Amino acid sequence: MAILSEKQGHLFTLHTAHATYQMQVGPLGWLLHNYDGAKIEGQDLSYLVRPQDRAYAPNPADAGGDRTLSPDTLPMEYSTFGLGDFRESCLDVRHADGSVGVDLRYKAHRIIPGKPALAGLPASYGTAGEVDTLEIDLADTAGTVLVTLSYAVFAEDDVIARSAKITNTSKTPVTLTRALSLCLDSQQPAARDVMTFYGRHMGEKQVARTPLRHGKIRVDSVRGASSPQQSPFVILCDAAATETVGECKAFSFVYSGSFLAQAELDQAEQLRLVMGIHPQNFSWQLAPGEAFQTPEVLCCFSECGFDALSNRLHRFQLAHLMRGEWRKKRCPVLVNNWEATYFDFDEAKLLKLAKEAKALGIEMLVLDDGWFGRRNDDTTSLGDWFVNREKLPEGIAGLGAALHGMGMQFGLWFEPEMISPDSDLMRPHPDWALRLPGRPLTTSRAQCVLDMSRPDVQDYLYDAIRAVVEDGQLDYIKWDMNRHIAESWSALLPPERQGELRHRYMLGLYALLERLLARFPHLLLESCASGGGRFDAGMLYYSPQIWGSDNTDAIDRLKIQYGNSFAFPIKSVGSHVSVCPNHQTGRVTPFATRAAVAMSGSFGYEMDLTTLTAEEKAEVRRQVEYFKAHHALFQLGSYHRLTNAQTDDRFTAWMSVAPDKRQAIVTVVQRYPLANGPIQSVRLRGLDPALTYCDAEGHAFTGSALMNAGLLLPPIAGEYGTVLFEFNALFELGAEN
Ligand code: DGJ
């Protein structure tokens, strides 16, 4: 049983395959956190929560003078501001009289087979049998709000999805000025380290690991997007945790807008982790009876290091977060014209590229930025989703027909959420751009952000995109987003609701994506935000492929893809082979290395294939064939980081193993060659210790030898050279066929 309610509804225990999460209805009816960690069965863990008198901690009136009862010192399951908890609050409620504060006490609970959807939000899903949901109602002592905490337990996957719903149960309006999704308190935290994933444009998902310290370690974004600067994904772990050892917990926010994630160690060494929509410039009015639903946080547990943690998350997201046929099916191998032509293309050039691509086994041409309006550089026309006939005289329909006629699929770039001041869309609709009244517009990359909270904007985009998809019979859309939200003000919202704009923007975006995918269920969506600037679990719900970075340099990609692999399935990371010298770094890397890195991702090309030599073309053909033959292993097999791409500077190695463990591919990329260096080896993971594996040269190794003693690496010639080792299990003598 995944969810146990015992002691007359005073003890709630959630069990997953390897973990236990327990709460109690404690003194005064507060919902307190007993434990979360490695599995413990048949034990009331309430003894772990010790009320203690800490000087000057506030006590509610009904504590009757008992100084040990304080929301500031007990492990609260959902923290609130205003009645004595001085640590980070999840919920700030401003009442009609201007007072701020709620005190939540247990009221009721329900156990629901399956998982109710979260209205308007991306969220994990599963059938009864795959997931059970515990809902606990907490009511404010003054009767103002009811908070429903939801715990969806995906037992097999070691994942619990948490969210909160706040309902106004009073007779007057209330305003939420903060409504976070998750609070996780612990009086004796096992975790000593926190891992966060920071970065920049062209350098996303770098890994930072730091010891918890007294005070608050916070990562956040107030950019209106999850951002490349910080990710809504954190890991708490033992100080000694490694890939294979130690307890670790991942928290992934299923949301793509501004967020806050914070680990706070208090005066008594107690830990509070919170995660949710960023409270900066957030408010939400609730009329009597109205409710606000927070996005959810996926909480994943591993008792044995990061390797198991990420593999559990990968599997879970492929099965319970990503949707549609493309989440497991091989996506077409594509060529994108961006780095091949930038804005300088016409139909003839594109068809020549497509013809060459087709001959090499590539299956789709993606036409990037510049096909619409008068867009010959990045200063105009966003919003004018009408084909530029000077470049494409036969229109999108003509190009689509020509591509489909030659057996190629057709993908097209849009940047729907944006508007150029110099566009036909802006002239009649200046109020569609987010702006502050009475002030000139700020621009970023010469563009402004559309007010996605407006139904008329959503309708315009739906109609415009639908028309183009139908016209060109598109197979794929690259959905780009290249600036952050500076000004938050909507011409349609009253002053007291302007704090709702940023979240309403996200709801508008999600609604539009939902509508388009409902209309075109086979369309493959690749999300992008100047690369991996909105690579989060929220976008993954709509878009099974997300462009990993505008940096296509294979060596820089080692770190970016390493960081991504902690949180997201390998298949979802958009990754292309591009030319050398690389356009972003000027670095020269072997063709084979560029392909080897891109294969542990969505795999495609982003270069002018027509200019390749015959030898290079033959190499591309071989790479495409190899990828097609091994895509399931690379994309759906278990994934193992064998080195730390951030810190190990000699070489980077990783491997993919088939679900039945009978096949594996190890990729090794040399970062720099060392004269007269040591003999190098790498210990493999994920194999069956009892099986015997054969490499391409017929050498046999047991799984236990490869995992415990290691694989000896040959000398790799030159800088950035790569070696791929393929291992296939031998059939045991006497085994059944
Ligand atoms: C940013 C994207 O990340 C690039 O791949 C490309 O599509 C450009 N935008 C086009 O403007």
Side-chain angles (χ1 to χ4, degrees):
M1 196 51 188
I3 300 176
L4 299 173
S5 158
E6 298 163 290
K7 312 236 160 138
Q8 289 83 45
H10 275 56
L11 188 69
F12 301 104
T13 309
L14 318 178
H15 286 304
T16 65
H18 301 94
T20 294
Y21 186 112
Q22 197 181 77
M23 297 159 274
Q24 58 161 308
V25 178
L28 311 182
W30 282 327
L31 187 64
L32 304 181
H33 188 77
N34 283 357
Y35 172 81
D36 63 285
K39 196 157 187 169
I40 300 172
E41 282 174 296
Q43 175 71 53
D44 180 347
L45 295 155
S46 305
Y47 73 88
L48 292 172
V49 176
R50 177 180 296 162
Q52 186 163 322
D53 178 9
R54 292 197 185 279
Y56 313 118
N59 316 114
D62 58 346
D66 182 344
R67 295 188 184 190
T68 68
L69 299 182
S70 173
D72 193 40
T73 56
L74 287 166
M76 309 302 284
E77 195 58 25
Y78 194 66
S79 58
T80 62
F81 177 79
L83 284 156
D85 188 344
F86 298 123
R87 296 167 293 171
E88 194 74 20
S89 162
C90 281
L91 181 65
D92 294 2
V93 182
R94 196 170 60 229
H95 305 289
D97 59 7
S99 63
V100 176
V102 284
D103 182 353
L104 301 175
R105 309 286 176 92
Y106 171 83
K107 181 163 185 221
H109 74 274
R110 299 164 289 286
I111 297 174
I112 304 162
K115 179 175 188 280
L118 303 189
L121 287 166
S124 55
Y125 57 87
T127 57
E130 291 173 332
V131 55
D132 292 312
T133 303
L134 169 66
E135 288 184 350
I136 304 180
D137 294 333
L138 307 176
D140 176 31
T141 45
T144 63
V145 294
L146 182 81
V147 174
T148 303
L149 299 180
S150 165
Y151 302 80
V153 184
F154 293 86
E156 234 181 77
D157 305 280
D158 284 306
V159 169
I160 298 175
R162 281 191 56 182
S163 65
K165 186 164 121 190
I166 299 105
T167 307
N168 180 355
T169 46
S170 75
K171 293 196 167 55
T172 51
V174 298
T175 304
L176 312 182
T177 53
R178 129 184 334 238
L180 304 189
S181 301
L182 167 121
C183 173
L184 192 67
D185 273 9
S186 171
Q187 285 199 321
Q188 308 89 24
R192 300 317 300 170
D193 283 2
V194 56
M195 282 166 74
T196 59
F197 297 79
Y198 71 99
R200 60 187 188 282
H201 175 228
M202 300 212 238
E204 298 86 345
K205 299 282 189 293
Q206 309 295 311
V207 184
R209 179 170 178 171
T210 148
L212 293 166
R213 56 169 167 73
H214 290 102
K216 300 173 177 181
I217 296 178
R218 154 189 288 224
V219 292
D220 66 356
S221 161
V222 291
R223 296 166 179 271
S226 49
S227 91
Q229 283 78 13
Q230 292 291 351
S231 306
F233 178 82
V234 298
I235 294 175
L236 291 176
C237 61
D238 293 350
T242 65
E243 288 287 354
T244 52
V245 172
E247 237 181 58
C248 38
K249 300 163 193 169
F251 302 89
S252 189
F253 195 28
V254 189
Y255 192 64
S256 318
S258 300
F259 74 92
L260 167 69
Q262 181 180 286
E264 173 181 10
L265 204 58
D266 75 5
Q267 53 178 341
E269 318 291 330
Q270 304 185 146
L271 178 63
R272 168 168 293 174
L273 179 81
V274 297
M275 201 175 216
I277 295 176
H278 204 296
Q280 174 103 46
N281 198 211
F282 169 86
S283 67
W284 200 275
Q285 282 220 329
L286 290 178
E290 279 183 353
F292 179 81
Q293 174 64 58
T294 73
E296 72 180 15
V297 175
L298 306 175
C299 314
C300 184
F301 176 78
S302 160
E303 72 294 357
C304 54
F306 308 123
D307 183 302
L309 187 73
S310 358
N311 278 305
R312 284 172 195 172
L313 269 173
H314 294 180
R315 266 198 314 274
F316 174 77
Q317 292 173 98
L318 284 164
H320 297 295
L321 183 70
M322 297 156 77
R323 295 179 304 163
E325 67 205 75
W326 296 111
R327 72 200 160 109
K328 293 218 171 144
K329 197 163 126 183
R330 180 172 72 74
C331 297
V333 178
L334 63 83
V335 60
N336 178 306
N337 77 311
W338 182 240
E339 286 195 23
T341 68
Y342 295 103
F343 290 103
D344 180 21
F345 61 83
D346 57 21
E347 190 183 273
K349 220 182 207 181
L350 294 173
L351 289 177
K352 200 169 158 212
L353 176 61
K355 197 169 161 218
E356 191 61 67
K358 169 82 184 157
L360 301 178
I362 293 169
E363 298 156 306
M364 177 160 72
L365 176 86
V366 175
L367 170 53
D368 211 279
D369 196 354
W371 58 269
F372 52 92
R374 287 169 293 102
R375 189 150 165 107
N376 296 316
D377 57 30
D378 63 10
T379 60
T380 74
S381 303
L382 292 172
D384 299 344
W385 303 112
F386 312 107
V387 72
N388 179 335
R389 294 248 169 208
E390 277 168 33
K391 291 182 185 175
L392 303 174
E394 304 303 322
I396 288 297
L399 181 60
L403 288 170
H404 290 129
M406 67 169 78
M408 286 288 275
Q409 296 177 45
F410 183 19
L412 198 60
W413 181 96
F414 288 87
E415 195 177 355
E417 299 155 68
M418 298 294 149
I419 181 166
S420 302
D422 177 15
S423 64
D424 291 347
L425 186 64
M426 184 68 116
R427 282 177 272 278
H429 298 295
D431 55 335
W432 281 16
L434 291 176
R435 62 197 318 152
L436 294 189
R439 293 174 193 271
L441 285 161
T442 66
T443 53
S444 174
R445 205 196 193 200
Q447 65 197 53
C448 300
V449 187
L450 276 171
D451 181 352
M452 295 295 294
S453 73
R454 294 177 66 129
D456 50 359
V457 169
Q458 293 168 34
D459 288 346
Y460 168 78
L461 290 172
Y462 175 77
D463 290 339
I465 297 170
R466 180 183 49 76
V468 181
V469 175
E470 282 170 356
D471 207 24
Q473 295 294 295
L474 298 187
D475 303 287
Y476 158 113
I477 283 181
K478 179 172 172 185
W479 187 290
D480 208 347
M481 196 277 296
N482 289 306
R483 74 157 281 187
H484 292 145
I485 299 176
E487 299 110 308
S488 299
W489 189 84
S490 169
L492 285 197
L493 290 174
E496 65 280 10
R497 285 195 176 272
Q498 291 295 337
E500 300 179 14
L501 188 266
R502 284 169 183 254
H503 183 55
R504 287 191 184 276
Y505 178 103
M506 295 315 303
L507 295 177
L509 168 64
Y510 291 148
L512 176 60
L513 289 166
E514 195 66 51
R515 211 163 145 196
L516 284 165
L517 288 171
R519 173 74 183 76
F520 302 107
H522 304 296
L523 194 71
L524 168 60
L525 206 67
E526 176 157 358
S527 165
C528 171
S530 313
R534 202 163 57 180
F535 204 139
D536 53 62
M539 287 315 284
L540 206 56
Y541 179 75
Y542 303 96
S543 136
Q545 208 159 286
I546 303 180
W547 183 223
S549 179
D550 274 355
N551 188 341
T552 57
D553 178 301
I555 302 307
D556 281 358
R557 277 289 187 135
L558 292 174
K559 287 187 180 174
I560 296 168
Q561 293 181 194
Y562 170 82
N564 262 310
S565 75
F566 282 89
F568 301 111
I570 300 312
K571 185 180 195 307
S572 67
V573 184
S575 191
H576 297 167
V577 181
S578 62
V579 284
C580 276
N582 177 269
H583 287 193
Q584 293 80 42
T585 61
R587 192 175 353 232
V588 175
T589 47
F591 217 141
T593 301
R594 285 175 266 155
V597 173
M599 279 187 208
S600 285
S602 68
F603 195 63
Y605 290 79
E606 183 144 345
M607 57 165 61
D608 187 355
L609 299 164
T610 63
T611 59
L612 300 184
T613 63
E615 206 179 303
E616 285 169 331
K617 284 179 188 170
E619 190 163 352
V620 172
R621 202 174 289 116
R622 278 197 303 275
Q623 291 167 354
V624 173
E625 269 169 26
Y626 189 81
F627 176 74
K628 286 180 185 170
H630 296 88
H631 76 94
L633 181 57
F634 283 124
Q635 298 195 326
L636 302 171
S638 62
Y639 182 82
H640 309 275
R641 295 169 293 266
L642 302 178
T643 60
N644 182 331
Q646 296 279 333
T647 54
D648 296 342
D649 51 8
R650 281 295 310 282
F651 66 90
T652 299
W654 65 96
M655 68 186 288
S656 310
V657 182
D660 66 1
K661 296 183 187 281
R662 300 200 68 87
Q663 199 188 18
I665 293 179
V666 181
T667 308
V668 182
V669 176
Q670 175 155 276
R671 302 283 274 269
Y672 72 85
L674 197 63
N676 196 22
I679 294 164
Q680 299 188 111
S681 66
V682 61
R683 287 206 265 167
L684 307 191
R685 284 206 300 279
L687 301 172
D688 182 338
L691 284 179
T692 299
Y693 294 88
C694 233
D695 70 9
E697 272 127 44
H699 300 126
F701 309 89
T702 61
S704 61
L706 290 171
M707 292 196 290
N708 295 326
L711 166 72
L712 222 50
L713 302 182
I716 302 176
E719 212 171 20
Y720 312 130
T722 191
V723 203
L724 247 65
F725 300 88
E726 203 178 316
F727 291 101
N728 286 290
L730 292 175
F731 280 94
E732 305 92 279
L733 282 179
E736 283 176 29
N737 287 330

